[in-house]
Amino acid sequence: MYEKILEAVKSHDTIIIHRHNKPDGDALGSQIGLKHILLENFPEKQVYAVGDDARFFAFMDDAVMDQIPDSAHENALAVILDCGAAGLISDCRYQLAKRTVRIDHHLFTQAIADVEVIDSSFESCCGMIALLAKESGLRLNTVAAKSLYTGMVTDSGRFRYDSTTARTYALASFLMETPFDITEIYQQLY
């Protein structure tokens, strides 16, 4: 499912990660999580996360967005996360990128990227990024695992919503193999 995305990542020196505006835990968690997965596994690449202010989720590690010039997009790969419509993307400069990919768990409404991986059976985009890492054998650092877990927690209603499945718990377990403080996440959320 993720082969074309990894192929695109490997063929670009600069990756710029976008998500929807007014971010929730899943939007930021998937963005920060993917950024740190890519930095951990492809240290030679320039990886940026862009968009509006983190607002309520400013407590998350690395939640301050990167400030980059328009020219950074010129030969870049733009990755759009957790966003079902072009008008919701925070930072429209994704259109300047050489190539675009989207990973999303919302119902499909329109094509907005060259490569689209959309699966509405997931509780969160973070779950999709966790599966990408697990299936592809990508290493997680603490920031990546903690960010993805935070997004899974928030978009699943603390693992209570109907979209929560055995796969959700399996991916949460996978993330917990990388040590981070779960209590700290819940203290910040409450």
Side-chain angles (χ1 to χ4, degrees), residues 140-155:
L140 297 176
N141 61 26
T142 299
V143 174
K146 184 178 177 184
S147 299
L148 294 172
Y149 187 88
T150 301
M152 288 176 71
V153 165
T154 58
D155 249 32

Side-chain angles (χ1 to χ4, degrees), residues 121-132:
S121 73
F122 277 84
E123 79 296 328
S124 64
C125 190
C126 285
M128 295 180 74
I129 301 300
L131 185 62
L132 162 70

Side-chain angles (χ1 to χ4, degrees), residues 3-188:
E3 297 83 10
K4 289 184 180 180
I5 290 174
L6 284 175
E7 183 181 300
V9 165
K10 290 176 183 177
S11 66
H12 290 81
D13 294 329
T14 302
I15 297 111
I16 303 169
I17 307 170
H18 298 253
R19 39 87 182 145
H20 66 72
N21 58 17
K22 298 179 183 173
D24 58 6
D26 187 34
L28 278 170
S30 60
Q31 185 181 38
I32 296 166
L34 181 60
K35 177 183 177 181
H36 284 272
I37 289 169
L38 295 178
L39 289 170
E40 179 75 17
N41 291 275
F42 303 98
E44 73 284 1
K45 298 193 180 294
Q46 299 296 312
V47 183
Y48 303 103
V50 298
D52 56 328
D53 187 79
R55 303 173 346 131
F56 177 73
F57 293 92
F59 71 86
M60 294 177 71
D61 296 338
D62 201 17
V64 176
M65 296 292 101
D66 297 310
Q67 302 299 314
I68 59 174
D70 293 352
S71 59
H73 287 78
E74 190 173 306
N75 290 307
L77 171 68
V79 179
I80 302 158
L81 302 174
D82 195 36
C83 194
L88 299 175
I89 300 170
S90 184
D91 195 333
C92 64
R93 295 181 298 168
Y94 75 92
Q95 299 170 11
L96 303 174
K98 183 176 181 180
R99 186 165 173 127
T100 55
V101 301
R102 173 171 59 157
I103 303 171
D104 189 26
H105 72 113
H106 296 99
L107 294 174
F108 179 83
T109 59
Q110 68 180 133
I112 56 177
D114 300 319
V115 176
E116 306 249 353
V117 176
I118 300 168
D119 188 339
S120 61
S121 73
F122 277 84
E123 79 296 328
S124 64
C125 190
C126 285
M128 295 180 74
I129 301 300
L131 185 62
L132 162 70
K134 183 177 181 181
E135 285 186 348
S136 303
L138 298 174
R139 293 180 311 278
L140 297 176
N141 61 26
T142 299
V143 174
K146 184 178 177 184
S147 299
L148 294 172
Y149 187 88
T150 301
M152 288 176 71
V153 165
T154 58
D155 249 32
S156 68
R158 314 315 189 255
F159 302 110
R160 294 185 329 240
Y161 296 158
D162 290 342
S163 60
T164 303
T165 66
R167 176 180 62 198
T168 307
Y169 289 109
L171 290 171
S173 175
F174 165 71
L175 295 173
M176 292 173 66
E177 291 173 12
T178 302
F180 61 90
D181 188 348
I182 292 172
T183 303
E184 179 187 339
I185 294 169
Y186 284 103
Q187 286 173 337
Q188 293 292 334

